[in-house]
Amino acid sequence: MDVSGSCLCGKVTINLTGVAKEITVCHCSLCQKFHGGPMFALAPCAEDQMALQGAKWLRRYDSSEWAQRGFCSQCGSSLFFYLKETHTYFFAAGLFGNLPEAVLTEEIYTKDQPQFYHFAEPTTRWEKLQNP
């Protein structure tokens, strides 16, 4: 998929090319705090698949030794999860509006999923992150 999106205020815009259509939901406690619920993430993206404008508004938070979370300093929108070692981005699907080709395929950290919600789509469910 080729998709374009932005943060809430529009200061940070993102254009991605060649992103797989699979959406992963992360239920970990950090995603729940950062996104106010589970993170619906686009398939992983390499730096050469993305064009980002408004970098002066972009902030990164080291949420662990191995990952960062990106957000807009103007409006606070949660933008991405970034794996430092592989230089891989997982952008929040909500930034890109309607994604008619996207398919919810996988859920991770299901052991942390609150009891008050469940998805109707059939997904592969992992209690924790699986190594590729």
Side-chain angles (χ1 to χ4, degrees):
M1 298 185 300
D2 293 344
V3 296
S4 296
S6 70
C7 62
L8 183 61
C9 70
K11 300 272 189 205
V12 178
T13 60
I14 306 142
N15 296 295
L16 304 175
T17 58
V19 180
K21 65 182 181 176
E22 290 80 17
I23 301 288
T24 297
V25 174
C26 182
H27 300 286
C28 80
S29 60
L30 295 176
C31 278
Q32 290 182 49
K33 288 181 182 267
F34 189 66
H35 295 280
M39 179 186 188
F40 288 79
L42 294 182
C45 297
E47 291 176 344
D48 64 354
Q49 290 177 270
M50 57 184 267
L52 190 132
Q53 292 79 41
K56 76 176 192 173
W57 302 103
L58 178 64
R59 297 293 180 271
R60 291 172 182 259
Y61 170 69
D62 287 316
S63 57
S64 67
E65 291 180 16
W66 46 275
Q68 294 177 329
R69 293 169 190 273
F71 62 96
C72 174
S73 64
Q74 180 67 28
C75 66
S77 291
S78 305
L79 302 174
F80 59 78
F81 175 82
Y82 175 74
L83 287 173
K84 295 177 186 179
E85 185 177 337
T86 60
H87 304 283
T88 306
Y89 288 83
F90 297 82
F91 284 94
L95 302 170
F96 301 95
N98 188 17
L99 299 168
E101 297 176 49
V103 179
L104 180 61
T105 59
E106 185 175 46
E107 297 176 67
I108 59 175
Y109 290 102
T110 57
K111 64 181 179 56
D112 297 334
Q113 179 180 350
Q115 294 299 312
F116 60 81
Y117 70 83
H118 302 280
F119 300 114
E121 291 79 9
T123 61
T124 302
R125 293 175 50 85
W126 304 100
E127 284 195 9
K128 59 182 184 174
L129 189 61
Q130 299 298 303
N131 292 329

